[in-house]
Amino acid sequence: MSLIDYVVVAAYFVVMIAIGIWAMRRVNDQEDYFMGGRGFGKLLQTFAAFGAGTGAHEPIQVGRTGWTSGLSGVWSALMWLFVTPVYWITAVWYRRMRHLTLGDWFVERYQSKSLGAAYAVFAIVFYMFYLSTMLSAIAKFAAPLVGAEEIFGVELKFVLVPGLAAVVIVYGVLGGLTAAYWTDLIQGIFIILLSVLLIPYGLWELVKEYGDPETQGFLDGFRIMHERVSADYFNLFTGPSAGEFPLQYIVALTVLALVGIVVQPHFIATGGGSAKSENEARIGLVVGNFLKRLCTVGWAITALIALALLAGSPELAKDPDYVWGIAAKEILGPLNLGLVGLMLACLMAAMMSSADTYMIVSSALITRNIYVAYINPDGTERENVRVARWTGLAIIVGASIVALTMADVFAQFLLAIQLPIIFAAPFWVGMYWRRANATSVKITITFSALFFFVLPIVIPLISPSLTTDSKWTTTTDRITKTLTRPATAADVAKHEAWVQAIENADGDQDTINQIGAEPPSGALGEEIEIVLRSGDKAIFWSDGVKAVDGEPTYEQVSLVTDGDMTILTERRTGPQKGVGQFNLDIVIYRFFGFDFSDVTKATLESLKLPTRVLLPFLVLIIASYLTPRGNSSQLDRYFAKMKTEVHPDPAIDRANLEAAYRDPSQLDHRKLFPNSELEIQKPRPSDWIGFIGSVAICFVIVGILVWLAQIGA
């Protein structure tokens, strides 16, 4: 990075801090701090949803999966696309709740302070791990941009992580949600720049390197990209990695995301709770998330451009995580216009726009559902805001410590995105069914925590013999597909990069293992042999199985020829030992005689969907019938509120609520199933028109992605 790049980054930090100081003067009470006085319109609500939903790890994640899996790698982030139409419905829920936290919702709906406190604890654990992954990601991905692993002899992450945390603390802790939303607006613009900036410059670089800049324009870069990269990299559901993202896996990811996303703690604010009205809530949440989906399209195209341009990079042969950083350095750096600094600022914006909202929502939960509920019920507004600020500071500091001390960032991220399973069923069922009660919810939360998180760790410790029992150490068959095709320029460059990376490793075995197997070798246009290997995945152990006697051995199951492709199927032999957690959610299938031998890794993951989605719902429904009902009058009051539309004027809204509370039965005509315990409301024209329109936009975005990827094919 040059001096002008550092000036751009410094200016970005100064603006963020100034906004925090300005917003601090507008905070008078908890609603101002946690919800910005519920005065946000469509623009701020849109960029709040966009910023909070876009993490720094996502562009890099798509860059990596695009590098390894081609266009199909976009689903590592685009899996949320078909969840977006549901936001048109859920945004109304969050606004009608009229709460400051989702913990408040659990307290009111289930008449239980302890459930609010339990949800607050869940939120802290969730955000400690989730934010730590973003902070760690920034430190790692900034290395190629900065051009150094150390600054003044200090490892880069020990400079960047505390620095980013300090800026978030200053503007977020001081200014609350108002500061977060205004900075999200600015940072959202930066994220959009991040998503498109490399595309035109990258295409032009392809023309300069491999075309004729005198007679060709940057759009000719698309044709050059297709000439240099094999056609199998441009398939949306299959790719060079033997199809990492087949359709059934995408469907499974979408359903799991839909079930869990609604209880992520920040949705009470960015999901619509901080908007002026239901209309602003809906438009903000849906448009903000569609903006993110469009940005994901940009990330995917950038990854393909990088593959065509940088296939010969030894650094990327070693670690594809650096795709984004190296692309920015190689494409934007020579221009010396401060664009590398802008790219780094954009990446930091992606992290900080999420971190500020998460911090404020978490501090609201601790303040309202633990401090006010159990420690100081009579605290003044000023005292509660002060506690919130100190709590927010502690959360960011805690996430920073986790980021600096925990080694397995990806494992932290996986844990964070799976945690919402614990509270998902109580939320969905509680929204629609009166019979669900506090006792049944506590049973369900306990079951989900034990079944999905505690027992998989404890069982191997209690019964070590399971790890070597042949019934539980089976794997899927190993499938080796061999085909031939002409070598592309990217194939040639990738092999050259691999050779250079192996030389740079200087015999270090860990680095050599990280680089991986030798890619196909051949001259441009020469027939090369492509070997695609899949399967051989442990069925019941999270981290796989290891051969007890050293290297794994295999026996041939079948060998078939399908056109130009040879398919060899093999099965592991000999004693094995399971490693990691015991997959209880897969064990259920064994009792029904399910044969896992020929399933793919993606199908194996997809099979977790029924247990993770259905079991908590089943436990909650059964437990609800076996436990006492909640207080009927309080339930009447709650569901009357959820049937009462929000008026933008707070005084009128309060009057409407009081009228609804006086006679909740007057709103029963809005129920889809009158005289039942199901509280599903009749859809209004605005509900189904908006939902269908959102579904249509999903297919438009997929169409745009496919169209862009096929330009120049």
Side-chain angles (χ1 to χ4, degrees):
M1 285 174 57
S2 62
L3 177 61
I4 189 172
D5 295 311
Y6 286 106
V7 169
V8 169
V9 174
Y12 168 76
F13 280 143
V14 169
V15 172
M16 295 301 103
I17 293 171
I19 290 174
I21 295 171
W22 164 79
M24 179 179 65
R25 300 173 182 174
R26 300 166 62 92
V27 175
N28 298 310
D29 55 25
Q30 292 182 77
E31 187 161 76
D32 285 342
Y33 189 75
F34 296 135
M35 287 290 177
R38 300 191 197 271
F40 299 119
K42 298 181 184 68
L43 180 65
L44 286 180
Q45 203 69 36
T46 294
F47 276 93
F50 174 61
T54 307
H57 61 287
E58 290 180 301
I60 314 304
Q61 180 176 289
V62 175
R64 179 190 180 90
T65 54
W67 184 271
T68 58
S69 302
L71 189 63
S72 67
V74 73
W75 293 109
S76 62
L78 203 61
M79 65 179 182
W80 302 97
L81 175 64
F82 288 97
V83 177
T84 310
V86 180
Y87 294 164
W88 188 260
I89 307 300
T90 63
V92 175
W93 299 351
Y94 296 117
R95 187 61 187 92
R96 289 191 184 182
M97 287 176 188
R98 300 166 172 90
H99 286 311
L100 298 184
T101 73
L102 270 178
D104 293 342
W105 180 85
F106 278 95
V107 171
E108 181 189 27
R109 169 60 184 86
Y110 291 110
Q111 304 153 33
S112 170
K113 285 200 305 182
S114 60
L115 281 178
Y119 182 81
V121 172
F122 150 75
I124 298 306
V125 175
F126 174 81
Y127 283 140
M128 285 285 192
F129 282 94
Y130 199 56
L131 279 175
S132 73
T133 64
M134 294 187 186
L135 288 165
S136 299
I138 282 286
K140 181 175 182 181
F141 304 141
L145 295 178
V146 176
E149 295 287 344
E150 296 182 349
I151 296 179
F152 302 118
V154 180
E155 191 177 345
L156 186 62
K157 71 176 183 179
F158 288 102
V159 177
L160 274 178
V161 169
L164 289 169
V167 175
V168 172
I169 286 169
V170 169
Y171 76 75
V173 168
L174 292 180
L177 201 69
T178 298
Y181 275 20
W182 278 104
T183 54
D184 283 355
L185 173 60
I186 297 171
Q187 289 166 159
I189 295 170
F190 272 64
I191 295 168
I192 293 171
L193 283 173
L194 167 75
S195 305
V196 301
L197 192 60
L198 282 173
I199 294 176
Y201 285 107
L203 291 170
W204 181 242
E205 197 66 26
L206 280 171
V207 172
K208 289 199 298 183
E209 286 288 326
Y210 307 109
D212 182 6
E214 296 294 329
T215 60
Q216 295 175 324
F218 80 91
L219 288 177
D220 290 292
F222 281 108
R223 177 181 52 77
I224 296 171
M225 177 176 70
H226 280 274
E227 290 173 353
R228 293 187 55 79
V229 179
S230 172
D232 56 355
Y233 276 84
F234 294 89
N235 295 323
L236 191 57
F237 297 109
T238 59
S241 297
E244 281 187 292
F245 298 95
L247 186 58
Q248 78 272 15
Y249 187 37
I250 295 168
V251 172
L253 287 174
T254 299
V255 175
L256 281 172
L258 172 60
V259 170
I261 189 70
V262 292
V263 289
Q264 288 194 7
H266 60 277
F267 256 59
I268 188 66
T270 62
S274 58
K276 289 179 182 178
S277 68
E278 294 176 11
N279 195 36
E280 272 87 0
R282 279 179 153 171
I283 292 173
L285 183 59
V286 172
V287 173
N289 278 276
F290 274 134
L291 268 179
K292 177 188 173 180
R293 314 308 173 217
L294 287 170
C295 287
T296 307
V297 171
W299 304 338
I301 299 302
T302 298
L304 293 173
I305 292 171
L307 183 61
L309 190 62
L310 303 172
S313 168
E315 295 98 324
L316 293 178
K318 177 184 174 183
D319 190 352
D321 277 343
Y322 288 130
V323 165
W324 209 270
I326 291 176
K329 182 179 70 174
E330 296 295 330
I331 296 171
L332 303 178
L335 300 175
N336 199 28
L337 297 174
L339 295 179
V340 174
L342 179 62
M343 185 62 69
L344 181 55
C346 291
L347 205 58
M348 292 188 295
M351 187 283 296
M352 293 164 68
S353 62
S354 300
D356 53 17
T357 303
Y358 299 166
M359 175 189 68
I360 291 159
V361 169
S362 301
S363 65
L365 282 160
I366 294 297
T367 302
R368 294 187 56 79
N369 301 117
I370 295 180
Y371 177 74
V372 172
Y374 291 99
I375 299 173
N376 187 10
D378 301 318
T380 65
E381 290 289 330
R382 185 176 294 276
E383 288 173 338
N384 292 339
V385 170
R386 187 185 306 118
V387 169
R389 283 181 168 139
W390 280 106
T391 304
L393 185 149
I395 290 163
I396 293 295
V397 170
S400 301
I401 292 171
V402 173
L404 293 172
T405 57
M406 296 288 283
D408 196 344
V409 174
F410 187 63
Q412 296 163 227
F413 175 71
L414 285 179
L415 175 61
I417 63 173
Q418 292 176 38
L419 278 173
I421 294 171
I422 296 174
F423 282 88
F427 181 86
W428 281 103
V429 175
M431 288 297 301
Y432 289 122
W433 192 39
R434 294 174 65 94
R435 192 69 177 79
N437 57 77
T439 304
S440 62
V441 167
K442 291 173 184 177
I443 291 170
T444 305
I445 290 172
T446 303
F447 166 80
S448 298
L450 287 173
F451 190 84
F452 296 116
F453 299 101
V454 177
L455 290 178
I457 298 173
V458 172
I459 286 175
L461 299 177
I462 296 175
S463 181
S465 61
L466 275 179
T467 62
T468 54
D469 190 326
S470 60
K471 291 197 305 291
W472 307 111
T473 57
T474 54
T475 63
T476 61
D477 292 343
R478 184 171 75 170
I479 310 296
T480 305
K481 297 179 180 179
T482 306
L483 56 92
T484 58
R485 63 166 172 79
T488 65
D491 292 322
V492 176
K494 273 193 169 184
H495 187 269
E496 292 172 352
W498 180 87
V499 171
Q500 185 62 52
I502 292 294
E503 290 179 7
N504 295 344
D506 199 24
D508 182 77
Q509 195 57 47
D510 289 339
T511 303
I512 291 173
N513 291 338
Q514 183 183 3
I515 293 169
E518 181 178 4
S521 174
L524 181 64
E526 184 178 295
E527 291 291 313
I528 58 174
E529 187 175 80
I530 306 295
V531 178
L532 302 175
R533 185 164 285 135
S534 61
D536 196 25
K537 299 299 178 184
I539 297 167
F540 300 105
W541 299 96
S542 62
D543 296 338
V545 296
K546 293 182 179 179
V548 173
D549 301 327
E551 291 297 317
T553 56
Y554 300 87
E555 63 180 8
Q556 181 174 315
V557 176
S558 65
L559 179 64
V560 298
T561 301
D562 183 8
D564 295 332
M565 182 184 296
T566 301
I567 305 173
L568 171 65
T569 303
E570 300 170 294
R571 185 169 297 151
R572 275 205 189 211
T573 59
Q576 311 291 326
K577 182 176 182 179
V579 182
Q581 300 178 22
F582 191 55
N583 294 330
L584 272 178
D585 41 6
I586 295 293
V587 170
I588 294 173
Y589 291 100
R590 185 178 183 88
F591 295 117
F592 290 97
F594 195 91
D595 182 13
F596 292 98
S597 60
D598 60 349
V599 304
T600 64
K601 177 185 175 183
T603 301
L604 198 60
E605 290 297 317
S606 302
L607 287 171
K608 294 180 180 180
L609 173 66
T611 50
R612 297 203 166 206
V613 171
L614 297 180
L615 270 181
F617 282 86
L618 186 62
V619 169
L620 179 56
I621 291 169
I622 294 173
S624 295
Y625 279 117
L626 299 176
T627 51
R629 296 171 177 269
N631 182 280
S632 181
S633 61
Q634 291 187 43
L635 285 172
D636 288 342
R637 184 180 176 90
Y638 163 74
F639 284 110
K641 181 179 73 169
M642 294 302 292
K643 295 188 189 89
T644 304
E645 293 184 27
V646 172
H647 195 282
D649 186 319
I652 297 175
D653 190 54
R654 281 193 295 271
N656 291 342
L657 279 177
E658 290 302 322
Y661 293 153
R662 283 193 295 271
D663 182 15
S665 62
Q666 66 178 304
L667 301 173
D668 283 351
H669 67 279
R670 297 185 181 179
K671 291 175 63 172
L672 189 60
F673 302 103
N675 304 315
S676 75
E677 293 191 322
L678 292 176
E679 293 285 348
I680 303 172
Q681 296 184 42
K682 296 175 182 176
R684 300 167 296 176
S686 59
D687 297 330
W688 59 265
I689 291 173
F691 180 81
I692 293 173
S694 297
V695 171
I697 292 173
C698 291
F699 286 101
V700 169
I701 289 174
V702 172
I704 290 172
L705 174 61
V706 173
W707 171 69
L708 285 172
Q710 294 305 314
I711 294 176

